[in-house]
Amino acid sequence: MKQIVSCCMLVMCCVGLLTVSGCSTPAVQTEIKPVPSGFTPAMNLDSEIVWDEWVRGGDLNVSVYPQTKPDAAPTAVFFPFLPTVTLRDPLETGTAVAKGFWHEWLREAPFTVLEFRELKTSYTPAYAIRLARQRGALFAVTGKLTDFYDGGSVTGARLGVVVDIYDTRTGALIWSMNQFAYMDKDRTRDFLLFKAESRLPSDPMWVVTTAIARSMKKPVQQWTGQWAFVEQQNNSEENAAF
């Protein structure tokens, strides 16, 4: 009897919380939400409480970072990621993931210009630097896939990425960072009066890619933002002189 009362209280509590907060759609999260994302209101053995899965993984590891502030408007060319793991279509997969990064980096962009360059073959950092320099960009953004699994909404996704950024004027590596993240479907838990389960988004690989891209964008954004601040100060001083 105590178990039945406890289960009933849990269901009613979840329903009450959902009434206040509303149901949400799958989104990038760093921890599980205390409030379920959905439920079936029928109080029978088929009742379900649903939590949207969230992105989990390791912290961002930055092994190389610039020692000086940008001295000019930061422009860059973004290149496909090269897989270091065995994949059926390595260049196609690396391009798709890199484009996901690129689209995220275009939002609140860390670079004043960020062009994506598609390639039909693998490439070396020196080649990427040369192409970016020819485009007039100060930086070349390259990367590697160190882990990749895309099981869709059935089993989830797993992604490991290394991003390297080179200065095209000197050829020096100025940024190197790596991170691993994943989404997987937790097991369904059956209780006495209801069933609790987790739900994956329709494209978990996109969610994981976006999560890592946002994480990696922050330190680069803070660095390039120093140029924008200095430029704004210089413009203010020039305008004040007239």
Side-chain angles (χ1 to χ4, degrees):
M1 178 61 70
K2 290 182 178 180
Q3 290 181 336
I4 295 177
V5 173
S6 298
C7 290
C8 289
M9 290 180 65
L10 177 58
V11 172
M12 294 306 296
C13 178
C14 290
V15 171
L17 288 171
L18 283 166
T19 302
V20 175
S21 64
C23 297
S24 64
T25 55
V28 176
Q29 301 167 224
T30 56
E31 59 184 7
I32 191 169
K33 293 182 180 179
V35 180
S37 304
F39 70 99
T40 56
M43 294 295 293
N44 53 49
L45 295 179
D46 294 327
S47 296
E48 292 183 354
I49 297 176
V50 180
W51 272 267
D52 286 332
E53 269 296 342
W54 70 104
V55 178
R56 318 179 203 192
D59 295 330
L60 174 64
N61 177 35
V62 180
S63 55
V64 178
Y65 56 89
Q67 302 298 313
T68 59
K69 299 178 182 179
D71 57 4
T75 56
V77 177
F78 211 112
F79 291 88
F81 294 159
L82 299 178
T84 61
V85 291
T86 302
L87 297 173
R88 179 177 297 178
D89 299 304
L91 188 59
E92 181 179 343
T93 301
T95 300
V97 175
K99 278 190 173 181
F101 263 70
W102 174 63
H103 280 295
E104 176 58 33
W105 281 32
L106 288 176
R107 299 173 65 248
E108 301 176 353
F111 297 101
T112 55
V113 176
L114 184 59
E115 174 186 319
F116 191 90
R117 178 63 182 263
E118 295 208 31
L119 297 174
K120 296 182 179 180
T121 61
S122 181
Y123 63 91
T124 63
Y127 183 69
I129 291 169
R130 186 165 67 253
L131 287 182
R133 187 187 299 123
Q134 290 173 357
R135 296 294 299 167
L138 296 183
F139 306 105
V141 184
T142 70
K144 295 183 284 289
L145 299 183
T146 57
D147 198 353
F148 182 88
Y149 170 75
D150 188 1
S153 59
V154 178
T155 56
R158 187 177 67 245
L159 183 65
V161 174
V162 173
V163 166
D164 293 326
I165 302 178
Y166 295 87
D167 188 322
T168 61
R169 292 169 295 184
T170 63
L173 175 66
I174 60 171
W175 281 99
S176 185
M177 59 188 85
N178 66 82
Q179 193 165 20
F180 167 82
Y182 67 95
M183 293 184 80
D184 61 9
K185 186 171 178 60
D186 197 3
R187 65 184 178 86
T188 300
R189 295 176 175 85
D190 289 311
F191 296 94
L192 189 60
L193 294 181
F194 65 92
K195 181 171 65 175
E197 67 174 356
S198 62
R199 177 176 60 187
L200 287 168
S202 59
D203 189 355
M205 178 54 71
W206 178 86
V207 179
V208 171
T209 299
T210 300
I212 298 180
R214 287 177 181 172
S215 177
M216 290 185 169
K217 179 173 65 173
K218 289 179 181 178
V220 179
Q221 198 172 38
Q222 291 172 354
W223 176 65
T224 57
Q226 296 178 87
W227 173 84
F229 178 74
V230 171
E231 187 71 6
Q232 185 177 16
Q233 280 189 321
N234 292 338
N235 290 337
S236 297
E237 292 174 359
E238 289 178 5
N239 293 333
F242 294 96

